[in-house]
Amino acid sequence: SLSRERANNNNTDEMTTNKSRTGPIVSLNRFERKKNVALLLHAYDLLLDRVVSKGDLTIKLPPLIIAGGYDPLNVENVEHLAELRTLADTILARYNLPRSKVYSPSSDQDSTTSATTQEGNASIEFHLSVSNTKRKQLLSVACVW
């Protein structure tokens, strides 16, 4: 989804400047089971495990932000977000990390503690129904792995 978004964006050069491994890992999708976002959470779990197993405290894993279309009236969206949060919180608990956070469109504007403003802190966030502005902001700070 991230690469498709970049391909569709006319400002590709702007999106790829200042990229490093310190910004968040970003996934932009709708909250639907067919998108298999759980696979991304399992991959993040593997990255966390590698960092912990190496015992190198200087390695910092970037935050994971899962953002996209969300309709609170859509049963699948609501159920799937709950499933993803349960999986995310299970993964985070395994490494003694704080629980995942959810940002709704109303809280998005004041999410100053969001991973988009932090660097190198392993965490998982869900951003619901992101605006075009927020989507562009997420893409502009996303790290490349």
Side-chain angles (χ1 to χ4, degrees), residues 122-135:
S123 64
I124 300 173
E125 294 182 1
F126 298 91
H127 292 245
L128 311 180
S129 301
V130 293
S131 65
N132 286 340
T133 302
K134 181 67 174 180
R135 185 183 68 208

Side-chain angles (χ1 to χ4, degrees), residues 91-112:
I91 290 167
L92 293 169
R94 192 174 304 136
Y95 304 100
N96 296 318
L97 294 169
R99 294 183 62 176
S100 64
K101 294 182 181 173
V102 175
Y103 294 97
S104 64
S106 59
S107 69
D108 239 7
Q109 299 305 325
D110 359 324
S111 58
T112 55

Side-chain angles (χ1 to χ4, degrees), residues 22-57:
T22 59
I25 298 170
V26 175
S27 170
L28 292 171
N29 278 301
R30 291 182 302 274
F31 286 89
E32 298 174 346
R33 289 181 184 94
K34 70 181 179 181
K35 299 297 182 179
N36 202 10
V37 176
L39 182 62
L40 175 61
L41 289 170
H42 289 294
Y44 195 70
D45 185 19
L46 289 173
L47 287 173
L48 281 167
D49 186 58
R50 285 198 176 169
V51 168
V52 170
S53 67
K54 286 187 178 199
D56 185 351
L57 299 177

Side-chain angles (χ1 to χ4, degrees), residues 72-122:
L73 301 177
N74 181 309
V75 174
E76 182 186 10
N77 285 182
V78 174
E79 290 175 350
H80 192 50
L81 175 61
E83 294 162 3
L84 292 173
R85 277 208 77 192
T86 298
L87 177 58
D89 290 342
T90 300
I91 290 167
L92 293 169
R94 192 174 304 136
Y95 304 100
N96 296 318
L97 294 169
R99 294 183 62 176
S100 64
K101 294 182 181 173
V102 175
Y103 294 97
S104 64
S106 59
S107 69
D108 239 7
Q109 299 305 325
D110 359 324
S111 58
T112 55
T113 59
S114 164
T116 58
T117 61
Q118 301 171 3
E119 291 187 3
N121 297 321

